[in-house]
């Protein structure tokens, strides 16, 4: 109990019974303690304010506190700036705002802003919004909220200038609408019509038109214009329309805010603008490859301060208009080209077919459908082998493989099967179609129906075969009679002229016999009746024999054989001799001035090659592929009018082909030719 009052003893000893200080010292002590407490609180307040101001000024967004001013009816009429942060001026363009009202700073500031801030000050309900401030020429993202005592009617505003972002969004939205509108258009005039109306509406202009610059003229095909204005669509010589010439010469956007006062126009241009009511305008020239090709013009009948973003939008519109017009023109030209192409292709007397590398048919013209009796849709659903005669599949596939692997065009005769089962012969010229990587992507086939020609050839071959066979017997008899007559005459009792005539007659009979046998061989080849008596042979002996025989027929040529030890080949001795005689005879014939003829034999892996080279007139390049065709002869004056019917080389190649070999020629005009053939080496079966 005695200690119970000690806690208050110190506090109460300086006070009297009435609660007043008992001494001056105690009073001063209390005063000093109170002052220290106040100083500490001031330091804390200063630190807090310093931190607050540091945070306040470190914001990259604008911030201000305003006092909203009301009239007697509690309608907000203005607001005064009480506090702003460091980026306020950069975000608004307002200098020294503190203590000033918004109407004092920007009298044309929209009423919307006063009403919105007044509503927040009265209700305390914060608001976030994005809105345009016309008087400041900026778009803002804003968060506004009430601060302090409601009676003070103060509002804090956190805001950010988003004008550039909004401009880009607006531009992108406009361009998206423009692209959507242009996407389906393929007519250049429609493009201009859509663009001008869309741009005029979006920019709130009175007129918009697109000029095409062609051969010194400005051509306005379509224009958009206010209802009470006339159209200006027409053709204007640039020399008579100086405004457009001025725009072109400027080479960049030509912008006039007010034709009445601008210094960009001389008096003549000014009067023209006033007459056409083009008081303010943005003209965008389009220059490609240093030449003007178009101008986009946007005009208003009243003065107007065009904003940077509006000029940029006009520039982008002009560029896209030019692109769209050019694309439409290209599409129109392509459409006309395709129509012409289809008309030509479908009226062609040749069948035209496009096939993929897997043999799927991708395109066919009308003539090809008629040739085979199918509808186009039926053919496009089929594989090409469905229409190729089965016996021609392997040969056709081999030729097509060469096209795919080497990109080599080829020509082939083969049979097609019509829809009703009939067989037709066709001559196909097959060419590779390359993709942008240079790879074979498909094949184009030009097909000619040669069924009638084949039938005529068959009839001709049949006639040749019959005629040759029928001529063979009497010619053989005439030959025998000539030989008997030559043996019977007495050289001493007959005139020399008689002997000479008999010798010439026998030579002509030999020539006729050779011709008849050539025709017989041709007939046999055409009828697949050329038989071979195959046996393993050493070509060296056969070649040497025929070289000696060939040398006996000429005194102006030196025929040389160069050989090496060769492996055996399977061959028909008589037929191979026929080939050698023909090739040596041709070498002599087509080197009329004489010279060397070189016969060479060599082993090449699994093949034996025999070549016959002359140094005569040579063969033109365009004739080298055709020279093995039946009845083909080179019409070359330098050959000296050599005789023949064009069967020798044809028969030679067919003989070599039936030996499973191949034959070709290499030639340079005026330097000579080398004919060669290759035969597979004979391998004895175990």
């Amino acid at each position: 109990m005695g200690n119970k009052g000690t806690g208050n003893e110190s506090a109460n000893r300086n006070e009297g019974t009435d609660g007043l200080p008992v001494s001056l010292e105690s009073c001063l002590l209390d005063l000093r303690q109170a002052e220290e407490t106040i100083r500490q609180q001031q330091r804390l307040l200063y630190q807090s304010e310093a931190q607050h101001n540091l945070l306040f000024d470190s914001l990259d967004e604008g911030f201000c506190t305003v006092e909203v001013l009301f009239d007697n009816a509690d309608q907000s009429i203005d607001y005064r700036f009480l506090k702003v942060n460091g980026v306020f001026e950069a975000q608004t363009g307002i200098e020294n705002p503190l203590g000033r009202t918004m109407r004092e700073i920007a009298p044309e500031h929209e009423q919307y802003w006063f009403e919105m801030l007044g509503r927040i000050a009265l209700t305390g309900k914060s608001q976030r919004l994005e809105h345009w401030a016309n008087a400041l020429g900026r778009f803002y993202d804003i968060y506004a909220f009430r601060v302090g005592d409601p009676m003070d009617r103060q509002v804090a505003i956190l805001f950010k200038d988003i004008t550039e972002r909004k401009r880009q969004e607006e531009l992108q939205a406009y361009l998206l609408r423009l692209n959507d509108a242009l996407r389906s258009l393929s007519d250049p005039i429609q493009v201009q019509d859509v663009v001008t109306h869309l741009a005029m509406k979006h920019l709130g202009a009175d007129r918009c038109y697109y000029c095409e610059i062609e051969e010194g003229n400005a051509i306005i095909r379509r224009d958009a214009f206010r209802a009470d204005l006339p159209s200006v669509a027409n053709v204007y010589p640039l020399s008579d329309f100086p405004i457009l010439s001025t725009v072109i010469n400027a080479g960049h956007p030509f912008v006039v805010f007010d034709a009445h006062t601008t210094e960009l126009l001389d008096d003549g241009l000014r009067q023209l603008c006033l007459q056409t009511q083009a008081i303010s305008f943005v003209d965008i020239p389009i220059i490609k490859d240093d030449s003007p090709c178009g101008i986009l013009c946007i005009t208003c009948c009243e003065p107007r301060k065009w904003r940077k973003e509006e000029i940029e939008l006009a520039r982008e519109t002009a560029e896209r208009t030019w692109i769209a017009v050019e694309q439409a023109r290209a599409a129109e030209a392509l459409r006309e080209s395709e129509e012409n192409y289809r008309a030509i292709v479908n009226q062609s007397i040749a069948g035209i077919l496009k096939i993929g590398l897997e043999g799927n048919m991708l395109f066919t013209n009308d003539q090809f459908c008629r040739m085979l009796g199918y509808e186009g849709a039926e053919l496009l659903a089929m594989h090409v082998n469905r229409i190729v005669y089965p016996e021609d599949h392997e040969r056709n596939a081999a030729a097509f493989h060469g096209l795919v692997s080497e990109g080599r065009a080829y020509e082939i005769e083969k049979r097609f099967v019509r829809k009703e089962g009939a067989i037709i012969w066709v001559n196909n010229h097959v060419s590779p179609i390359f993709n942008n990587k240079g790879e074979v992507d498909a094949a184009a086939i030009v097909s000619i129906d040669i069924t009638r020609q084949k039938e005529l050839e068959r009839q001709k071959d049949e006639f040749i075969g019959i005629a040759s066979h029928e001529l063979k017997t009497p010619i053989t008899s005439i030959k025998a009679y000539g030989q008997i007559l030559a043996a019977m005459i007495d050289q001493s009792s007959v005139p020399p002229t008689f002997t000479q005539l008999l010798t010439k007659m026998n030579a002509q009979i030999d020539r006729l016999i050779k011709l008849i046998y050539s025709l017989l061989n041709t007939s046999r080849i055409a009828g697949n009746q050329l038989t071979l008596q195959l046996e393993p042979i050493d070509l060296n002996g056969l070649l040497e024999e025929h070289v000696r025989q060939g040398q006996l027929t000429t005194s102006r040529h030196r025929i040389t054989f160069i050989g090496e030890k060769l492996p055996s080949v399977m061959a028909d001795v008589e037929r191979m001799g026929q080939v050698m005689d023909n090739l040596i005879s041709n070498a002599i014939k087509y080197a009329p001035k004489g010279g060397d003829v070189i016969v060479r034999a060599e082993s090449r892996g699994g093949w034996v090659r025999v070549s016959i080279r002359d140094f005569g007139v040579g063969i033109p390049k365009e004739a080298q592929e055709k020279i093995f065709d039946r009845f083909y002869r080179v019409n070359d004056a330098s050959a000296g009018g050599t005789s023949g019917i064009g069967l020798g080389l044809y028969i030679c190649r067919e003989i070599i082909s039936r030996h499973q070999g191949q034959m070709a020629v290499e030639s340079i005009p005026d330097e000579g030719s080398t004919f060669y053939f290759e035969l597979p080496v004979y391998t004895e079966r175990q």
Side-chain angles (χ1 to χ4, degrees):
M1 295 290 293
N3 295 329
K4 190 173 182 180
T6 58
N8 296 323
E9 182 177 350
S10 175
N12 293 333
R13 65 189 174 188
N14 293 325
E15 298 179 3
T17 56
D18 54 1
L20 296 174
V22 296
S23 68
L24 179 60
E25 288 184 6
S26 64
C27 184
L28 291 174
L29 178 62
D30 290 341
L31 182 60
R32 283 194 295 271
Q33 289 177 344
E35 288 177 350
E36 181 62 27
T37 299
I38 291 172
R39 282 195 294 272
Q40 289 178 354
Q41 291 177 346
Q42 287 178 337
R43 284 194 297 270
L44 290 174
L45 179 61
Y46 175 79
Q47 292 174 357
S48 176
E49 287 184 350
Q51 291 175 352
H52 174 75
N53 289 334
L54 180 63
L55 177 62
F56 190 62
D57 287 330
S58 66
L59 293 174
D60 61 355
E61 297 179 328
F63 184 85
C64 64
T65 302
V66 300
E67 176 190 2
V68 183
L69 306 178
F70 294 85
D71 60 15
N72 294 332
D74 270 349
Q75 298 295 320
S76 55
I77 57 173
D78 203 351
Y79 54 87
R80 179 182 290 108
F81 290 99
L82 303 179
K83 189 172 185 179
V84 299
N85 70 344
V87 297
F88 176 89
E89 182 178 334
Q91 291 283 324
T92 62
I94 300 175
E95 301 177 356
N96 303 318
L98 294 181
R100 300 167 64 195
T101 68
M102 191 61 187
R103 290 206 183 275
E104 177 186 352
I105 296 170
E108 298 178 356
H109 198 45
E110 298 97 313
Q111 180 63 26
Y112 169 83
W113 296 98
F114 303 112
E115 294 175 354
M116 183 265 293
L117 295 177
R119 188 166 54 251
I120 295 172
L122 292 176
T123 65
K125 186 177 181 180
S126 61
Q127 187 171 352
R128 177 175 289 279
L129 71 153
E130 293 181 355
H131 205 275
W132 173 256
N134 190 61
L136 301 180
R138 306 189 187 207
F139 215 110
Y140 289 104
D141 179 359
I142 293 173
Y143 178 61
F145 53 94
R146 189 172 66 186
V147 294
D149 192 317
M151 298 301 295
D152 293 336
R153 297 184 174 181
Q154 294 181 7
V155 176
I157 308 169
L158 183 65
F159 60 93
K160 186 173 184 179
D161 181 356
I162 57 171
T163 306
E164 180 60 24
R165 192 195 83 193
K166 280 295 185 179
R167 188 189 69 80
Q168 289 296 330
E169 289 177 355
E170 181 181 354
L171 177 61
Q172 291 304 316
Y174 166 76
L175 294 178
L176 181 61
R177 291 196 303 273
L178 182 62
N179 287 343
D180 288 343
L182 295 177
R183 185 176 294 115
S184 61
L185 301 181
S186 57
D187 185 314
I189 297 178
Q190 288 182 333
V191 168
Q192 297 176 32
D193 187 55
V194 167
V195 167
T196 54
H197 280 86
L198 192 61
M200 185 182 79
K201 180 179 179 181
H202 182 80
L203 291 171
D206 296 320
R207 185 191 298 280
C208 180
Y209 53 90
Y210 178 78
C211 296
E212 297 177 37
I213 306 300
E214 295 181 3
E215 299 179 351
N217 293 319
I219 305 172
I220 304 174
R221 305 185 190 277
R222 286 288 188 275
D223 62 335
F225 49 91
R226 203 174 64 192
D228 59 336
L229 295 176
S231 171
V232 294
N234 208 332
V235 177
Y236 299 92
L238 288 177
S239 58
D240 296 342
F241 205 18
I243 291 180
L244 296 184
S245 297
T246 302
V247 172
I248 292 171
N249 292 333
H252 53 74
F254 190 75
V255 182
V256 169
F257 299 145
D258 188 346
H260 297 93
T261 60
T262 182
E263 296 181 356
L264 296 175
L265 303 175
D266 59 29
D267 290 339
L269 288 179
R270 193 186 319 279
Q271 291 303 316
L272 183 59
C273 289
L274 297 179
Q275 290 172 11
T276 58
Q277 300 186 59
I279 305 305
S280 62
F281 53 85
V282 177
D283 289 351
I284 310 291
I286 302 169
I287 311 295
K288 300 295 178 182
D289 298 326
D290 298 326
S291 297
C293 53
I295 304 174
L296 180 70
C297 304
I298 303 168
T299 72
C300 287
C301 296
E302 300 292 337
R304 174 171 175 172
K305 187 173 179 61
W306 298 93
R307 301 197 306 271
K308 177 182 177 182
E309 55 268 25
E310 292 175 330
I311 298 171
E312 174 63 20
L313 184 143
R315 190 199 63 77
E316 187 70 26
T317 301
E319 187 69 23
R320 296 196 180 211
T321 302
W322 178 81
I323 292 173
V325 168
E326 291 302 305
Q327 288 177 339
R329 284 178 173 167
E332 190 173 52
L334 178 61
R335 198 163 50 247
E336 292 178 358
S337 176
E338 288 180 347
E339 290 173 357
N340 292 336
Y341 158 77
R342 290 187 178 277
I344 293 171
V345 166
N346 285 323
Q347 293 175 18
S348 171
I349 62 171
I352 298 176
L353 180 69
K354 178 182 177 182
I355 65 172
L357 300 186
E358 302 300 323
N360 52 311
M361 288 186 265
L362 305 174
F363 170 81
T364 177
N365 73 338
D366 294 347
Q367 175 61 14
F368 194 82
C369 295
R370 287 192 292 268
M371 286 168 55
L372 295 177
Y374 285 98
E375 296 292 330
E378 293 178 298
L379 286 172
L380 296 181
M382 295 165 56
H383 191 279
V384 71
N385 281 346
R386 289 268 307 274
I387 61 173
V388 177
Y389 190 66
E391 292 183 10
D392 294 338
H393 278 180
E394 184 176 352
R395 184 166 59 94
N396 185 68
F400 193 74
H401 176 74
L403 176 140
V404 174
S405 60
E406 302 175 23
R408 183 180 67 244
Y410 64 92
E411 189 172 346
I412 186 172
E413 289 187 0
K414 61 183 178 182
R415 287 159 288 185
F416 279 155
V417 182
R418 284 177 53 86
K419 185 175 182 179
E420 77 279 7
I423 307 299
I424 63 171
W425 275 93
V426 295
N427 178 281
N428 282 359
H429 188 279
V430 188
S431 301
I433 299 174
F434 298 95
N435 60 21
N436 54 12
K437 297 180 181 179
E439 302 167 340
V440 178
D441 191 49
I445 301 172
V446 178
S447 184
I448 303 292
D449 186 344
I450 58 171
T451 306
R452 176 61 179 163
Q453 177 183 333
K454 280 290 185 181
E455 176 60 21
L456 292 175
E457 287 181 2
R458 187 195 65 76
Q459 294 174 5
K460 180 178 66 176
D461 292 338
E462 185 177 329
F463 170 78
I464 290 173
I466 294 172
S468 301
H469 191 271
E470 292 297 324
L471 288 171
K472 181 180 177 184
T473 300
I475 289 298
T476 303
S477 298
I478 293 172
K479 172 68 175 176
Y481 296 151
Q483 290 174 339
I484 293 171
L485 184 61
M488 289 176 62
I489 64 173
D490 185 354
Q491 298 288 340
S492 62
S493 61
V494 298
T497 304
F498 182 83
T499 302
Q500 292 174 0
L501 290 174
L502 184 60
T503 301
K504 289 182 178 180
M505 181 190 74
N506 284 331
Q508 293 300 318
I509 291 172
D510 288 339
R511 183 180 175 189
L512 186 57
I513 290 173
K514 184 177 180 181
L515 175 59
I516 290 172
Y517 272 92
S518 292
L519 292 172
L520 280 172
N521 284 330
T522 301
S523 179
R524 289 167 183 159
I525 291 170
N528 201 25
Q529 296 175 347
L530 184 69
T531 58
L532 300 177
Q533 302 296 324
L534 297 176
E535 58 180 310
I537 66 169
D538 177 9
L539 276 178
N540 278 329
L542 183 143
L543 296 175
E544 289 175 349
E545 176 185 350
H546 286 274
V547 166
R548 284 195 300 272
Q549 292 178 3
Q551 186 66 73
L552 295 175
T553 66
T554 177
S555 59
R556 290 187 297 174
H557 300 79
R558 183 178 63 182
I559 306 176
T560 305
F561 173 63
I562 302 174
E564 61 182 52
K565 184 175 178 56
L566 300 176
S568 297
V569 297
M570 286 292 287
D572 183 312
V573 175
E574 182 180 350
R575 296 297 184 189
M576 290 307 302
Q578 183 180 348
V579 171
M580 287 305 303
D581 286 345
N582 189 282
L583 294 178
I584 292 173
S585 174
N586 278 354
I588 294 171
K589 184 189 303 183
Y590 288 97
K593 295 181 181 180
D596 289 330
V597 174
I598 300 173
V599 179
R600 185 186 300 272
E602 54 188 327
S603 177
R604 292 194 170 193
W607 299 82
V608 172
R609 170 179 280 203
V610 177
S611 60
I612 298 88
R613 182 180 182 186
D614 66 67
F615 298 89
V617 297
I619 303 168
K621 184 173 181 60
E622 63 272 11
Q624 292 176 22
E625 287 296 321
K626 302 176 182 178
I627 200 167
F628 296 102
D629 293 348
R630 186 168 56 164
F631 301 117
Y632 183 82
R633 297 186 71 242
V634 178
N635 295 320
D636 192 341
S638 62
T642 55
S643 62
I645 59 173
L647 288 176
L649 290 175
Y650 165 73
I651 294 172
C652 288
R653 189 171 69 168
E654 289 297 327
I655 290 173
I656 295 299
S657 177
R658 280 163 169 73
H659 280 79
Q660 307 304 312
Q662 53 194 4
M663 188 172 189
V665 64
E666 297 173 352
S667 183
I668 300 175
D670 299 324
E671 294 185 17
S673 304
T674 301
F675 285 87
Y676 64 89
F677 62 84
E678 294 179 340
L679 298 176
V681 170
Y682 168 66
T683 303
E684 186 176 359
R685 295 181 180 178
Q686 300 295 328

